[in-house]
């Protein structure tokens, strides 16, 4: 494989690889960029802008303007996001969840959260159904630890809740042809039929509010952009079923700690899991790929490159609230006034402080998990 082939971008719900060109994704997926104007409109409702909006980590959308039009006319919306529980949660997963919490707090909306134990079971060769279900409950603790409240947060565990989902899934499946699904998801002759039917299940929470609350309102989905193919199918059939098209707001991928690529649980050395202990975090951060030079002398003379530095990206995505301090770090790095070791040490301290708190809340969440089960 040449370097170019290795770097070639692949973004599907099951695989993200190569250098991700977000502008190109907007063009190829046919989504809309998040403009300054739209950001101002959001700010009118939220007051403060979340750092993920200020820094354009959420960069693309479908129908966010439509959802805001409706909201301004008095039609509420619900939030919907989810997780495929095939392993432990890493801090990349927290990026859209933290943002979802912000939207929920500001717009006072209900969240439906889908835990797709069924999806992971059919898609992953080695995963047993009990393991996927168990990861589902474990991963739910991470969501709860972020401060979501049971009154407004309805978690769907697909296998447990299939009776609730099945009628709507059938309506969706009946209106989705194999040829559409194959071209959208790249199914092969060897793809198992569980997987082929499965996209109908991910569509259901877009419409579930009408069933459980008797109100037909649009869903807004904050998620990484790799999930977009699902929504293309769902949006096509929504009007046929008498529902609003679900709207999306898409975020970028948190990079892994290695050179290139997103954080991925299948690469544990370059991923920080929410259950990692301080020494483990220390080791992973210490080995991270940075924009530093080969020697301290060179770095002082020539400066580093924060744009390619994974450590810097963690400050951008999660661990530096203050825009001014972030800009200072960027400038100091480029001037050669700060060395990689210093950034690594500061980041490690912040992550470990965050994780110590998170892990406590995560354990407490065990006692209240059932309060989040979807009420019918
Ligand atoms: N398919 C997603 C995954 O593998 C899980 C998921 C289900 C999801 N519904 C969602 C993610 C809605 C984002 C938004 O992770």
């Amino acid at each position: 494989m040449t370097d170019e082939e290795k770097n070639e971008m692949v973004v599907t719900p099951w695989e993200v690889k190569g250098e991700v060109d977000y502008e190109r994704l907007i063009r190829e997926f046919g989504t809309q960029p998040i403009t300054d104007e739209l950001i101002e409109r959001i700010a009118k409702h939220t007051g403060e802008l979340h750092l993920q909006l200020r820094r354009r980590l959420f960069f693309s959308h479908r129908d966010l303007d439509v959802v805001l039009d409706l909201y301004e006319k008095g039609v509420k919306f619900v939030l919907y996001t989810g997780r495929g529980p095939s392993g432990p949660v890493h801090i990349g997963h927290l990026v859209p969840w933290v943002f979802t919490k912000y939207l929920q707090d500001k717009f006072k909306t209900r969240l439906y959260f889908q835990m797709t134990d069924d999806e992971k079971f059919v898609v992953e060769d080695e995963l047993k159904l009990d393991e996927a279900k168990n990861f589902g409950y474990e991963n739910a603790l991470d969501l709860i630890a972020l401060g979501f409240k049971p009154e407004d947060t309805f978690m769907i565990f697909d296998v447990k809740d299939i009776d609730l989902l099945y009628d709507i899934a059938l309506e969706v499946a009946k209106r989705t042809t194999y040829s559409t699904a194959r071209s959208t998801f790249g199914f092969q002759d060897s793809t198992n039929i569980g997987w082929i039917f499965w996209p109908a299940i991910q569509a259901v929470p877009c419409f579930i509010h009408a069933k459980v609350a008797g109100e037909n309102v649009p869903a807004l989905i904050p998620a990484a952009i790799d999930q977009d193919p699902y929504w293309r199918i769902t949006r096509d059939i929504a009007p046929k079923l008498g529902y609003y098209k679900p709207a999306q707001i898409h975020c970028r991928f948190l990079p892994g700690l290695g050179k290139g690529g997103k954080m991925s649980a299948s690469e544990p050395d370059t991923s920080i899991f929410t259950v990692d202990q301080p020494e483990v975090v220390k080791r992973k951060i210490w080995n991270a790929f940075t924009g530093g030079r080969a020697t301290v002398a060179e770095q002082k003379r020539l400066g580093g490159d924060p744009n390619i530095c994974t450590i810097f990206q963690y400050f951008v995505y999660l661990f530096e609230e203050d825009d001014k301090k972030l800009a200072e770090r960027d400038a100091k790095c480029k001037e050669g006034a700060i060395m990689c070791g210093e950034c690594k040490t500061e980041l490690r301290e912040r992550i470990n402080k965050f994780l110590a708190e998170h892990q406590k809340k995560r354990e407490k969440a065990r006692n209240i998990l059932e309060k989040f089960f979807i009420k019918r």
Side-chain angles (χ1 to χ4, degrees), residues 152-166:
D152 306 321
T153 308
F154 289 60
M155 297 187 79
I156 300 162
F157 295 86
D158 283 349
V159 173
K160 168 174 87 56
D161 295 318
I162 191 62
D163 56 331
L164 184 69
L165 310 179
Y166 198 48

Side-chain angles (χ1 to χ4, degrees), residues 80-84 114 116 119-120 202 221 223 227 230-231:
Y80 162 36
T81 193
R83 153 90 183 135
Q114 184 179 36
T116 62
E119 173 190 22
K120 289 297 148 176
Q202 180 150 327
I221 307 169
Q227 296 297 307
Y230 286 108
W231 319 129

Side-chain angles (χ1 to χ4, degrees), residues 85-330:
S86 53
V89 164
H90 60 59
I91 59 174
H93 298 125
L94 303 184
V95 170
W97 299 356
V98 166
F99 186 69
T100 301
K101 176 77 172 48
Y102 157 83
L103 289 179
Q104 186 183 52
D105 290 346
K106 297 295 176 186
F107 288 95
K108 312 234 176 324
T109 57
R110 182 182 284 196
L111 166 66
Y112 290 97
F113 190 94
Q114 184 179 36
M115 202 56 92
T116 62
D117 42 13
D118 52 350
E119 173 190 22
K120 289 297 148 176
F121 173 65
V122 295
V123 170
E124 309 253 330
D125 285 342
E126 302 300 327
L127 193 67
K128 300 199 174 68
L129 188 53
D130 275 346
E131 290 168 344
K133 280 159 74 178
N134 193 46
F135 277 131
Y137 295 120
E138 283 294 315
N139 292 179
L141 304 177
D142 285 291
L143 188 84
I144 297 170
L146 296 179
F148 287 93
K149 300 283 174 297
E151 308 83 84
D152 306 321
T153 308
F154 289 60
M155 297 187 79
I156 300 162
F157 295 86
D158 283 349
V159 173
K160 168 174 87 56
D161 295 318
I162 191 62
D163 56 331
L164 184 69
L165 310 179
Y166 198 48
D167 53 357
I168 303 176
L170 287 173
E171 299 284 355
V172 172
K174 190 169 179 173
R175 288 165 183 84
T176 309
T177 65
Y178 177 59
S179 114
T180 302
R182 189 187 46 203
S183 61
T184 310
F185 297 111
F187 293 141
Q188 307 285 318
D189 277 356
S190 57
T191 305
N192 72 60
I193 60 172
W195 189 344
I196 291 164
F197 173 79
W198 196 79
I201 304 270
Q202 180 150 327
V204 176
C206 299
F207 312 132
I208 199 91
H209 187 69
K211 183 169 175 182
V212 299
E215 284 175 329
N216 193 2
V217 299
L220 172 65
I221 307 169
I225 192 156
D226 61 315
Q227 296 297 307
D228 188 70
Y230 286 108
W231 319 129
R232 266 177 259 156
I233 291 196
T234 311
R235 287 169 57 82
D236 280 350
I237 54 164
K240 297 184 195 157
L241 299 177
Y243 299 117
Y244 288 101
K245 291 185 177 187
Q248 286 85 48
I249 177 163
H250 302 114
C251 67
R252 298 169 198 261
F253 307 107
L254 181 73
L257 289 163
K259 189 170 179 211
K262 72 162 186 145
M263 190 170 277
S264 162
S266 55
E267 288 171 47
D269 282 337
T270 54
S271 300
I272 293 178
F273 297 104
T274 61
V275 293
D276 276 350
Q277 292 305 302
E279 338 58 89
V280 175
V281 173
K282 185 173 174 185
R283 173 177 53 80
K284 290 179 180 176
I285 296 282
W286 201 252
N287 293 328
F289 174 76
T290 70
R293 302 276 174 178
T295 65
V296 170
E298 232 182 86
Q299 187 153 339
K300 283 193 172 151
R301 190 159 46 87
L302 301 169
D305 183 356
N307 288 328
I308 60 164
C309 176
T310 62
I311 300 292
F312 186 71
Q313 292 307 312
Y314 293 99
F315 286 114
V316 174
Y317 275 75
L318 290 163
F319 295 104
E320 180 55 84
E321 281 275 340
D322 186 329
D323 291 344
K324 232 174 87 202
K325 290 195 182 142
L326 189 72
E328 273 165 25
R329 189 182 297 278
D330 181 77

